[in-house]
Amino acid sequence: MTSEKNEHGVVMVGGGLAAQRCAQTLRKQGYEGPIRIVCAESVAPYDRPPLSKKYLSEGEEGPDVALKPDDWYVENNIELLLGKSAAGLDPVAHLVRLEDGTELSYDRLLIATGSQARHLPALAGFSNVHSLRTAGDSRRLAAELGQGGHLVLVGSGFIGQEVAATARAFGDQVTIVEAMSSPLEHILGAEVGNRLGRMHLERGTDLLTDAMVETASGNGRVEELCLADGRRIDCDTVVVGIGVRPSTDWLDGSGLEADGILTDAGARTGLPDVYAAGDVTRSLDPRTGKHTRSEHWDSAVRQGRAAALSMLGQPAPEPALPSFWSDQYGERIQYVGHAELSDRVEFEDHDDGLNFTARFLRGERLVAALAVGQPRTIAKAGRTIEEHHKSEAEEKGSPK
Ligand code: FAD
């Protein structure tokens, strides 16, 4: 993509991690044309992982979550259109329509609108029911922690687990209500899920599994949750962490997929000059040949960079293995690989057995690993998994 007079340049819709990394890569690679980032939030791109961890416990006194200082956007000639939502896309005319009626023409478009928290209709309208996606959500929730109340987390995904750990550090009573038999069972299986569950129980968090919230009662604030099996739980604050859905409503009628935009390894969508990166995508994993949603930091960074390189006509690097981390009770949990390909799991216990390494195997081949409190293990496991993928691809006679 060369820089020409009167060019429309690159428009990015969504101003989170993926967009920021795409803009940074474009400038680093020498692109000099216009870059505009449109974002529904009224602050410059910031980092979300601290929102359930340090930022939740320390607030604005705590970590600076801005991905870059405001000056960086000025110095790099990147225009931020903040507090503005995109409402439609005309891919033929190369136009993005904003909610206020403004139309933005683009030469290349990056869709990076991320994802939004799923809600439980039974809990709608209560003022003490929270979800956690933005810095504002984190500050509102923080105001309810550390008061000696009872916090109930609906869902034991990473956000639910991290908020539980943060609230326990304040000394709050914490209960996790989980519909499955153990945390993250659908991704990591029951054996790993049970060990993660044990970690919470040992730290004083109550964990109710095979439990579904059915109704809630209270006057403006939820005071009691009623489970499908008839159990009742008193509560002061509720956090719903039952997953996210891609923010694609504004793309209705554009031809792009509502349940996660399909992209190739270079972040290209099915529409000309339209790229997508981050939580909003279902991106092609060349190792499995499948399009998968990955709602993790590493993917947003990689896909944001890949989109920039593709826009410039440069080859995008081979996508890294899926990976994520989570911080809970002072320990780092790290994961790499494809647990869904495994047929068994082997465990290695460390210290008191709460810290462990899980090796997901298919036959004798390592396909994924998860480690609690063992930072070096995962990098090594990642290299082994990659080597296996390469030798398997060579055996099949494909270049990779
Ligand atoms: P986002 O960062 O969500 O940015 C999307 C932006 O687009 C938002 O600002 C949104 O308001 C805006 N937007 C949406 N619709 C529109 C529209 N129509 N018009 C304009 N703008 C719009 N990952 C890990 O690997 N490890 C962790 O420990 C971890 N912790 C996390 C903790 C929390 C609380 C959260 C919320 C996420 C965490 N993640 C973690 C996930 C990681 O932060 C996300 O994968 C990453 O932020 C995705 O980046 P993104 O750019 O795709 O989307």
Side-chain angles (χ1 to χ4, degrees):
M1 194 174 26
T2 51
S3 177
E4 291 160 19
K5 278 209 166 137
N6 297 326
E7 65 181 320
H8 303 301
V10 178
V11 169
M12 303 188 186
V13 179
L17 179 61
Q20 191 278 327
R21 284 302 199 270
C22 180
Q24 184 174 342
T25 308
L26 283 170
R27 288 296 185 236
K28 226 173 161 179
Q29 295 296 316
Y31 173 64
E32 291 176 352
I35 299 178
R36 287 170 288 174
I37 300 181
V38 181
C39 189
E41 289 187 72
S42 50
V43 282
Y46 62 90
D47 213 15
R48 291 179 205 275
L51 304 184
S52 48
K53 309 175 185 78
K54 261 195 151 193
Y55 191 82
L56 182 60
S57 53
E58 296 174 14
E60 284 170 299
E61 310 288 294
D64 178 6
V65 290
L67 288 169
K68 290 285 176 193
D70 289 347
D71 290 354
W72 182 85
Y73 298 93
V74 179
E75 283 158 16
N76 284 279
N77 195 17
I78 294 166
E79 190 182 353
L80 293 176
L81 302 168
L82 300 176
K84 292 188 181 296
S85 293
L89 167 64
D90 181 340
V92 178
H94 280 50
L95 272 181
V96 170
R97 189 169 39 79
L98 305 190
E99 237 167 39
D100 64 9
T102 312
E103 289 186 333
L104 302 177
S105 297
Y106 61 83
D107 296 321
R108 304 277 191 280
L109 172 68
L110 178 76
I111 299 174
T113 39
S115 54
Q116 50 196 280
R118 290 184 190 278
H119 298 289
L120 267 184
L123 301 184
F126 290 104
S127 64
N128 57 342
V129 174
H130 300 260
S131 50
L132 183 49
R133 189 74 215 162
T134 66
D137 294 339
S138 180
R139 290 194 296 271
R140 279 186 289 279
L141 174 59
E144 301 216 23
L145 300 184
Q147 319 267 329
H150 184 195
L151 172 72
V152 177
L153 287 319
V154 184
S156 65
F158 281 115
I159 293 204
Q161 293 190 57
E162 289 181 351
V163 173
T166 303
R168 281 300 298 146
F170 279 114
D172 289 342
Q173 185 192 348
V174 181
T175 301
I176 301 178
V177 178
E178 169 54 55
M180 290 179 296
S181 303
S182 63
L184 295 169
E185 193 176 318
H186 59 308
I187 302 169
L188 301 170
E191 285 175 282
V192 174
N194 284 330
R195 281 174 175 252
L196 296 177
R198 208 178 119 216
M199 185 174 77
H200 291 287
L201 294 168
E202 293 278 337
R203 264 76 175 214
T205 294
D206 205 3
L207 174 64
L208 306 181
T209 53
D210 300 306
M212 300 271 285
V213 170
E214 199 164 69
T215 56
S217 58
N219 190 8
R221 291 174 66 87
V222 181
E223 287 158 21
E224 189 181 69
L225 293 170
C226 186
L227 306 187
D229 61 10
R231 277 181 286 180
R232 290 170 184 279
I233 312 170
D234 290 340
C235 56
D236 298 292
T237 305
V238 180
V239 176
V240 179
I242 56 169
V244 292
R245 67 176 187 88
S247 298
T248 51
D249 291 350
W250 68 281
L251 292 164
D252 271 2
S254 68
L256 290 172
E257 303 79 15
D259 56 344
I261 299 168
L262 294 179
T263 56
D264 68 8
R268 296 173 197 85
T269 71
L271 294 175
D273 302 322
V274 179
Y275 303 76
D279 282 11
V280 75
T281 64
R282 260 188 299 145
S283 139
L284 178 69
D285 183 335
R287 294 172 192 82
T288 60
K290 289 186 180 150
H291 286 90
T292 41
R293 295 208 51 225
S294 168
E295 298 136 7
H296 300 297
W297 196 93
D298 281 352
S299 320
V301 167
R302 282 191 280 106
Q303 293 167 10
R305 279 196 206 127
L309 295 173
S310 295
M311 286 179 191
L312 296 170
Q314 297 176 20
E318 173 92 354
L321 285 166
S323 66
F324 58 74
W325 84 92
S326 174
D327 294 326
Q328 299 172 31
Y329 306 105
E331 296 294 355
R332 175 148 288 199
I333 302 175
Q334 289 163 289
Y335 168 89
V336 66
H338 291 280
E340 75 280 8
L341 300 180
S342 68
D343 51 32
R344 69 180 205 283
V345 191
E346 282 179 359
F347 290 95
E348 189 185 334
D349 288 319
H350 311 286
D351 309 327
D352 52 4
L354 287 180
N355 285 2
F356 64 90
T357 303
R359 292 196 168 78
F360 297 79
L361 299 156
R362 183 181 186 84
E364 292 309 311
R365 193 187 129 194
L366 185 69
V367 290
L370 178 134
V372 182
Q374 304 299 312
R376 289 202 192 133
T377 312
I378 287 297
K380 201 168 156 218
R383 286 194 293 275
T384 309
I385 296 167
E386 279 294 19
E387 279 162 21
H388 286 320
H389 277 296
K390 279 189 188 137
S391 51
E392 197 181 60
E394 277 162 18
E395 275 164 30
K396 283 184 187 155
S398 73
K400 189 133 274 204

